[in-house]
């Protein structure tokens, strides 16, 4: 906006000239911030949308060297996406159209920034800001490029605003209605309910309609779904890539591999089929907490990552992935089967990942999905969590060249982590490769958590409703023969200190 503003006439006041001169001195720092935003936000989303909308050619296994920066980093300094990131199959047609429109706006803004950089480079990178000569005069072409950038940026801002979900009704009117309802009798409330909703049959239909989305989730209506979030995670870490790991009982586990900053890659590897072999022999297997999918394991924002550590001198430490990669460890993240895109074998061994089958509209398609989800689909249990953790850990140690593995389980991830540590240390071949087991804010068993949160009777209810579930973390933890760490938060609102793994030990 400073470049696009009209220039001051030579007959203007001295104060105006001084103000404009001061504004020109501010431009280099502002432009540096704008380029950082272009590279770390707009560039990330543009790359992810290109890839997930299938606008970029797929990288075939073994095509080119993965050692060179030309294949690892794109022109905006972000990690180049490789592997099965996602294809937006779980979105509505309108959401995909919004994604293409957003991509067009992003590309337009970034193109205008490049044009401005060419036309106004002497001012944008003004040496006067660091003690050099006086600011260069602004040319007409540079002013025109600045105005075009402002128009494109405004259009992008307005379009992003239009993607926000609409609020449901006026809050003030709903508040007044609630206050009026407090003074009504039961008959008056019933009459008002019937007036607003029609007959009792309409009320039943409304109740069923509110339950159906839980039984049969519809397609997502926003472009900012898990596929885009997964792509953003991979874009923020140099050399990060997705891979699939086979489950022993059928199905596949969706994994992300985030190398440390000093971890070169073997040339000619095939990251999308899980045979990539990093030279780094130290790694961390992170077992997610409840609702901690890999798409959000490194945070919902774009603040983390290590792609900017060398070019911009930024060292992030916002999550466990940042912490461990800064310490020189590779990090492996995965979703348990039944969550995200990971899937297991359902009834009669049939299993499929989310979004693999074509979404059928109408009542027939809904009934089919509800029946399949209720009776035939894979259902995760504590035992499947343990099996998934062990499968990924075995793959890391046997296929990825790792010689020293830290297993870090957070909250319910301690179930998978402790059992994985126990099984690996009982294996004579893999025993010496387990360096450390960390159970981070983990419970001793699920019954103890329920008893503290709900009441003493809830522990018996869990045993009655799920008699074959075993969530004993203490036994697996004590049986693991490697260095171990227990981390407990005595002020944890969910896992009370009396139901923690520390108390169980």
């Amino acid at each position: 906006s400073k470049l696009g503003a009209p220039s001051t006439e030579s007959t203007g006041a001295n104060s105006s000239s001084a103000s404009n001169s001061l504004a020109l001195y501010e431009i280099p720092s502002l432009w540096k911030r704008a380029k950082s935003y272009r590279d770390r936000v707009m560039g990330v989303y543009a790359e992810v949308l290109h890839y997930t909308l299938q606008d970029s050619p797929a990288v075939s296994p073994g095509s080119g060297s993965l050692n060179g920066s030309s294949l690892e980093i794109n022109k905006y300094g972000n990690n180049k996406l490789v592997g099965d990131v996602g294809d937006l199959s779980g979105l509505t047609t309108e959401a995909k159209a919004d994604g293409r429109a957003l991509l067009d706006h992003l590309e337009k803004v970034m193109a205008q920034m490049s044009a401005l950089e060419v036309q106004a480079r002497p001012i944008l990178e003004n040496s006067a800001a660091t003690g050099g000569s006086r600011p260069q005069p602004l040319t007409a072409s540079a002013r025109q490029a600045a105005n075009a950038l402002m128009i494109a940026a405004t259009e992008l801002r307005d379009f992003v605003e239009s993607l926000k979900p609409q609020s449901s009704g006026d809050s003030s009117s709903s508040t007044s209605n609630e206050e009026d309802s407090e003074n009504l009798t039961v008959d008056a409330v019933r009459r008002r309910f019937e007036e607003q909703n029609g007959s009792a049959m309409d009320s039943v239909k409304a109740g069923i309609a509110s339950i159906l989305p839980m039984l049969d989730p519809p397609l997502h209506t926003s472009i900012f779904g898990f596929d885009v979030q997964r792509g953003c995670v991979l874009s923020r870490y140099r050399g990060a890539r997705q891979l699939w790991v086979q489950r022993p009982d059928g199905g596949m586990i969706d994994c992300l591999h985030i190398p440390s900053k000093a971890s070169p890659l073997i040339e000619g590897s095939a990251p999308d089929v899980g045979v990539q072999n990093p030279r780094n022999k130290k790694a961390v297997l992170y077992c997610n907490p409840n609702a901690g999918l890999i798409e959000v394991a490194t945070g919902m924002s774009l603040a983390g990552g290590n792609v900017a550590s060398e070019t911009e001198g930024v060292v992030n430490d916002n999550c466990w992935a940042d912490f461990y990669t800064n310490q020189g460890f590779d990090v492996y993240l995965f979703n348990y089967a039944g969550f995200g895109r990971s899937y297991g074998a359902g009834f009669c061994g049939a299993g499929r990942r989310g979004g693999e089958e074509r979404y059928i509209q109408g009542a027939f398609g809904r009934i089919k999905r509800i029946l399949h989800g209720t009776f035939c689909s894979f259902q995760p249990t504590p035992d499947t969590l343990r099996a998934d953790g062990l499968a990924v850990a075995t793959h890391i140690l046997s296929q990825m060249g790792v010689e020293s593995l830290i297993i870090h389980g957070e909250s319910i991830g301690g179930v998978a982590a402790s059992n994985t540590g126990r099984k690996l240390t009982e294996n004579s071949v893999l025993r010496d490769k387990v360096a450390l087991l960390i159970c981070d804010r983990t419970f001793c068993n699920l019954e103890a958590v329920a008893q503290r949160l709900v009441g003493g009777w809830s522990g018996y209810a869990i045993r009655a409703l799920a008699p074959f579930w075993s969530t004993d973390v203490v036994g697996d933890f004590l049986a693991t023969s490697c260095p171990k760490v227990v981390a407990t938060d005595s002020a944890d609102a969910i896992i009370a200190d009396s139901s923690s793994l520390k108390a169980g030990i």
Side-chain angles (χ1 to χ4, degrees), residues 218-290:
L219 295 174
H220 296 289
T221 58
S222 171
I223 184 60
F224 301 105
F226 277 153
D227 288 343
V228 171
Q229 291 180 355
R230 188 181 308 111
C232 290
V233 172
L234 293 171
S235 294
R236 287 155 44 194
Y237 292 91
R238 182 184 293 268
R241 57 201 65 244
Q242 184 273 348
L243 56 95
W244 292 99
V245 173
Q246 181 72 46
R247 297 188 73 250
D249 298 329
M252 301 291 285
I253 303 173
D254 190 11
C255 302
L256 300 184
H257 172 209
I258 303 177
S260 65
K261 290 186 293 185
S263 176
L265 304 176
I266 292 294
E267 183 173 351
S269 61
D272 53 340
V273 295
V275 298
Q276 173 197 354
N277 189 9
R279 298 185 189 279
N280 190 5
K281 298 184 182 298
K282 301 188 303 179
V284 174
L285 172 62
Y286 179 75
C287 301
N288 296 330
N290 187 37

Side-chain angles (χ1 to χ4, degrees), residues 23-39:
L24 290 177
Y25 277 94
E26 297 173 353
I27 287 176
S29 61
L30 294 175
W31 179 247
K32 184 178 179 180
R33 290 168 55 190
K35 286 204 302 181
S36 177
Y37 187 83
R38 176 197 64 188
D39 296 342

Side-chain angles (χ1 to χ4, degrees), residues 132-326:
S133 59
R134 295 188 59 186
Q136 298 292 326
L138 189 65
T139 63
S141 58
R143 194 183 306 280
Q144 183 179 3
N147 288 327
L149 174 59
M150 282 196 295
I151 294 173
T154 302
E155 292 175 351
L156 172 61
R157 180 198 63 191
D158 295 341
F159 179 75
V160 172
E161 288 289 336
S162 70
L163 296 179
K164 293 181 178 180
Q166 299 294 326
S167 59
S168 56
D170 185 11
S171 60
S172 60
S173 60
S174 61
T175 303
S176 60
N177 291 334
E178 291 174 0
E179 292 175 354
D180 294 340
S181 300
E182 292 179 356
N183 299 323
L184 296 177
T185 63
V186 175
D187 291 336
V189 171
R190 179 179 57 81
R191 286 195 299 270
R192 173 175 289 186
F193 184 78
E194 291 179 352
E195 291 174 358
Q196 293 177 348
N197 298 278
S199 63
M201 183 59 67
D202 293 333
S203 303
V204 173
K205 291 180 179 179
I208 294 175
S210 64
I211 297 175
L212 281 177
M214 293 185 290
L215 299 176
D216 177 34
L219 295 174
H220 296 289
T221 58
S222 171
I223 184 60
F224 301 105
F226 277 153
D227 288 343
V228 171
Q229 291 180 355
R230 188 181 308 111
C232 290
V233 172
L234 293 171
S235 294
R236 287 155 44 194
Y237 292 91
R238 182 184 293 268
R241 57 201 65 244
Q242 184 273 348
L243 56 95
W244 292 99
V245 173
Q246 181 72 46
R247 297 188 73 250
D249 298 329
M252 301 291 285
I253 303 173
D254 190 11
C255 302
L256 300 184
H257 172 209
I258 303 177
S260 65
K261 290 186 293 185
S263 176
L265 304 176
I266 292 294
E267 183 173 351
S269 61
D272 53 340
V273 295
V275 298
Q276 173 197 354
N277 189 9
R279 298 185 189 279
N280 190 5
K281 298 184 182 298
K282 301 188 303 179
V284 174
L285 172 62
Y286 179 75
C287 301
N288 296 330
N290 187 37
L293 298 175
I294 57 176
E295 289 81 4
V296 298
T298 60
M300 294 289 288
S301 69
L302 299 178
N306 58 25
V307 292
S309 59
E310 297 179 4
T311 58
E312 302 175 17
V314 178
V315 178
N316 293 300
D317 201 2
N318 301 309
C319 58
W320 285 119
D322 290 343
F323 172 79
Y324 282 122
T325 54
N326 289 339

Side-chain angles (χ1 to χ4, degrees), residues 439 442-444 472-478 484-488 497-505:
C439 284
T442 301
F443 49 77
C444 59
D472 178 28
V473 182
V474 178
D476 287 335
F477 184 86
L478 293 177
K484 294 171 283 191
V485 172
V486 178
T488 302
D497 186 69
S498 56
S499 58
S500 65
L501 176 60
K502 180 197 71 174
I505 294 173

Side-chain angles (χ1 to χ4, degrees), residues 38-58:
R38 176 197 64 188
D39 296 342
R40 301 293 161 254
V41 179
M42 293 189 291
V44 166
Y45 279 119
E47 172 79 3
V48 172
L49 290 172
H50 262 305
Y51 197 88
T52 54
L53 289 168
Q54 305 300 318
D55 289 340
S56 296

Side-chain angles (χ1 to χ4, degrees), residues 5-18 20 143:
S7 59
T8 305
E9 299 295 335
S10 58
T11 57
N14 291 335
S15 59
S16 300
S17 300
N20 284 339
R143 194 183 306 280

